[in-house]
Amino acid sequence: MLYLTTPSGATVREAMAAGLIGWMNTPAQGNRLPYGQAWAADNGRFGKGWPGAERWLRWLANHADRAADCRFAVAPDVPMNAAATLQESLPWLPRIRELGYLAAFAAQDGAEDIAMPWEELDVLFLAGTTEWKLGAGARTLVDEALNRGKAIHMGRVNSLKRLRYAAEIGCTTADGTFVAFAPDTNLQRCLAWVDAVESQPALF
């Protein structure tokens, strides 16, 4: 499983360069993205990093020469609102693909009850509240995504328990901010999580 985070200190950047973890990049970061770096393109909607649609699309276009190294680019969403996210994301999914990226759809609470755009997405991004992500609704979506050959990503994963759960249900990538706090110490803990998850047989 690839764990994605933000660069925070020389040790973390070295681990990223070595391919041990990936870079969760957003338009607000402003850091230079190295060639060959495994990464994912978040949109910044969760938090304060959303630059607006035009600047976001321009940012994606400016990094399109690195799209082959990018696990996915997340279409603009509306956090915690499945119906609004569907309306917001639909026009952007094909444009993400046109730039050479895999298009990720951020599933929010209740997404199991909407008409998911399966043909337009490449990656199911489990967003929404913690309760929903760990509940039956998200599992229903994950099972459908796996049956359709889609990749699965889980957001806001900041513990071994959560990372292990993500892997068990079929996620191949996850992201979190854990490494950004006390990076020298937490990087080693995070790498140990990944080792523990990869060495554990799947339960499902």
Side-chain angles (χ1 to χ4, degrees):
M1 169 172 283
L2 181 66
Y3 189 82
L4 301 161
T5 190
T6 54
S8 51
T11 305
V12 175
R13 286 192 290 270
E14 289 168 3
M16 289 180 172
L20 300 176
I21 58 175
W23 189 339
M24 194 64 159
N25 205 7
T26 70
Q29 286 180 30
N31 298 25
R32 187 178 67 85
L33 178 66
Y35 286 94
Q37 170 69 60
W39 68 296
D42 203 354
N43 57 44
R45 274 286 175 91
F46 186 80
K48 300 179 181 179
W50 173 242
E54 290 185 8
R55 288 181 60 192
W56 164 77
L57 190 63
R58 186 164 61 248
W59 174 77
L60 272 189
N62 289 342
H63 290 84
D65 58 339
R66 299 165 175 83
D69 299 315
C70 186
R71 297 302 189 265
F72 54 82
V74 187
D77 59 311
V78 181
M80 316 307 170
N81 190 320
T85 290
L86 178 63
Q87 184 176 7
E88 178 77 5
S89 294
L90 273 177
W92 298 110
L93 292 168
R95 299 187 71 175
I96 290 170
R97 284 175 162 179
E98 287 168 4
L99 290 172
Y101 296 94
L102 296 177
F105 178 83
Q108 313 289 345
D109 296 39
E112 68 276 17
D113 297 323
I114 66 173
M116 286 287 293
W118 292 114
E119 297 306 316
E120 285 74 40
L121 67 90
D122 303 295
V123 179
L124 178 68
F125 186 122
L126 296 176
T129 63
T130 298
E131 292 74 18
W132 180 79
K133 282 191 299 188
L134 302 181
R139 281 298 302 273
T140 297
L141 275 187
V142 166
D143 290 345
E144 179 70 14
L146 291 173
N147 287 337
R148 292 173 176 268
K150 307 296 182 179
I152 318 293
H153 174 87
M154 182 178 286
R156 302 197 316 279
V157 173
N158 292 299
S159 69
L160 171 57
K161 181 179 180 181
R162 186 71 50 81
L163 187 65
R164 182 170 281 140
Y165 177 78
E168 287 171 353
I169 67 172
C171 298
T172 54
T173 56
D175 75 86
T177 57
F178 177 78
V179 177
F181 303 97
D184 291 343
T185 300
N186 288 346
L187 172 63
Q188 300 308 314
R189 292 177 178 170
C190 182
L191 294 177
W193 296 351
V194 175
D195 286 343
V197 167
E198 292 182 345
S199 64
Q200 175 181 300
L203 299 181
F204 297 96

